[in-house]
Amino acid sequence: MLTLKTSSEFLQWRALVSPLESIGLVPTMGALHEGHLSLIRQSIKDCDISCVSVFINPLQFGVNEDLESYPQDIVGDLKKLKAIGVDVVFIPHANDIYDDDDSLLIVENNLSRKLEGKSRPTFFSGVLTIVSKLLNLVRPDFAYFGMKDAQQLIIIQKMVKEMKYPVQIIPCKTIREHNGLAMSSRNEYLNKEQRENAKIIYLSLFHARELINNGETNPSIIKAAIKDMVLSETTLTLDYISIAERETLVEITADVKTNNKTLILIAVFLNGVRLIDNIYI
Ligand code: AMP
């Protein structure tokens, strides 16, 4: 496994890759768990060369967010990446990726303002800017993103389409703990009891899907059912529940249909930790 630490090292390596070999890219912020590893396994299956980036992207953290305390375990990450059979790991320093003034950003002005964007107004421009830079450096054929971050995935797909990046985005399904909680590096902030309490997030989404499959179509009733269930766990507070069209994130106000075009998204706080999840209907 090759470990590259600067953009120039990366570009030197990239120049030597044969155009006949396919490259897969899996961008991560490290503290790798089974969710990340599932994306990486998919890349290894699909591509001749798999490249994983490990970079805690400062640009996607708001001023009062957890940039300083974000979980890190580069030694553990490298062990996992080597064991799984990754070809190239890219671990750049922030100075190598960004100029001091941060004056150049990729901004999406519609989908980025909804849901996560309301609580985290600079988040998606941070994500799009780093993903754009990584796509330019790596020039992958395929790039892998988790459906756990559904809004992020949709916005990246939009960027790739509109900016004509010659890459295929591969969505990968959400990997969960045994109790249903979506895996996330931020779950490390939770103790055992809190992780157990947090399973209600997925259970409430699962319950909503059951309601819809059993004929409930009223979005207000479905949202109320999710809310009741989540708040029955008194340590949780809600940021949002959204029942939306899965490609546009437009809120569904008429009948909810079981036509594979609906997505329910949720964000909650548990002990100051923000957790998101979603379910496709
Ligand atoms: P992160 O390191 O949190 O930025 O995540 C890197 C990539 O892994 C993103 O595409 C995430 O959507 C994806 N990811 C994170 N958690 C999960 C999960 N539980 N299941 C599937 N993909 C995930």
Side-chain angles (χ1 to χ4, degrees):
M1 184 174 79
L2 198 59
T3 303
L4 302 172
K5 294 190 173 168
T6 65
S7 307
S8 56
E9 266 179 6
F10 195 92
L11 287 172
Q12 273 175 29
W13 169 80
R14 182 64 184 85
L16 299 176
V17 176
S18 153
L20 299 178
E21 289 191 292
S22 60
I23 301 190
L25 167 66
V26 184
T28 80
M29 296 210 297
L32 301 178
H33 50 67
E34 270 303 311
H36 298 114
L37 298 183
S38 71
L39 272 56
I40 296 166
R41 282 194 198 98
Q42 189 62 47
S43 171
I44 290 172
K45 206 167 136 204
D46 296 345
C47 305
D48 297 319
I49 298 174
S50 286
C51 169
V52 175
S53 59
V54 178
F55 177 60
I56 300 180
N57 175 31
L59 215 58
Q60 71 189 67
F61 289 78
V63 273
N64 295 318
E65 291 184 358
D66 55 346
L67 174 60
E68 299 307 326
S69 59
Y70 193 83
Q72 288 190 54
D73 177 19
I74 194 64
V75 175
D77 288 348
L78 290 174
K79 250 191 211 162
K80 287 176 191 167
L81 294 172
K82 193 166 179 192
I84 204 172
V86 165
D87 302 286
V88 182
V89 186
F90 181 45
I91 324 175
H93 193 272
N95 294 341
D96 179 45
I97 297 293
Y98 295 113
D99 274 351
D100 285 342
D101 64 359
D102 284 350
S103 65
L104 196 134
L105 293 175
I106 309 280
V107 179
E108 191 283 333
N109 261 327
N110 174 20
L111 301 173
S112 298
R113 297 199 172 167
K114 300 168 189 268
L115 306 171
E116 286 300 287
K118 282 200 178 135
S119 298
R120 312 180 72 192
T122 58
F123 173 70
F124 288 114
S125 61
V127 169
L128 292 182
T129 305
I130 185 63
V131 170
S132 162
K133 290 187 188 221
L134 289 170
L135 291 176
N136 287 331
L137 275 168
V138 180
R139 281 176 286 130
D141 300 282
F142 301 93
Y144 296 80
F145 292 90
M147 289 157 85
K148 144 98 178 14
D149 300 288
Q151 189 177 4
Q152 168 175 292
L153 171 65
I154 292 165
I155 294 172
I156 289 170
Q157 283 172 320
K158 184 174 163 72
M159 175 182 79
V160 162
K161 184 163 165 247
E162 291 204 15
M163 301 298 285
K164 323 287 185 206
Y165 278 105
V167 62
Q168 197 177 328
I169 300 297
I170 310 291
C172 299
K173 73 175 193 313
T174 302
I175 303 298
R176 301 179 178 281
E177 308 279 358
H178 290 303
N179 68 5
L181 174 64
M183 287 192 182
S184 162
S185 305
R186 287 193 170 95
N187 291 353
E188 287 188 23
Y189 296 138
L190 306 176
N191 64 29
K192 207 171 158 204
E193 188 188 340
Q194 289 164 336
R195 281 188 192 214
E196 195 49 28
N197 295 346
K199 72 181 178 195
I200 198 76
I201 303 166
Y202 179 61
L203 291 179
S204 71
L205 294 177
F206 191 81
H207 175 61
R209 187 162 67 185
E210 296 271 288
L211 283 179
I212 296 166
N213 287 338
N214 289 328
E216 183 56 70
T217 58
N218 183 329
S220 305
I221 293 178
I222 299 161
K223 282 184 193 174
I226 298 172
K227 185 174 171 187
D228 282 352
M229 216 165 146
V230 169
L231 297 184
S232 71
E233 186 51 70
T234 52
T235 51
L236 296 185
T237 55
L238 262 177
D239 184 358
Y240 63 75
I241 300 168
S242 166
I243 303 181
E245 288 176 17
R246 64 190 276 179
E247 279 173 18
T248 58
L249 295 178
V250 170
E251 201 64 27
I252 296 175
T253 49
D255 285 356
V256 177
K257 300 196 181 85
T258 51
N259 58 2
N260 281 333
K261 289 190 176 161
T262 307
L263 183 61
I264 306 183
L265 307 100
I266 188 168
V268 307
F269 291 98
L270 170 51
N271 197 35
V273 181
R274 198 156 179 289
L275 300 170
I276 60 170
D277 202 347
N278 63 77
I279 199 165
Y280 287 78
I281 307 298

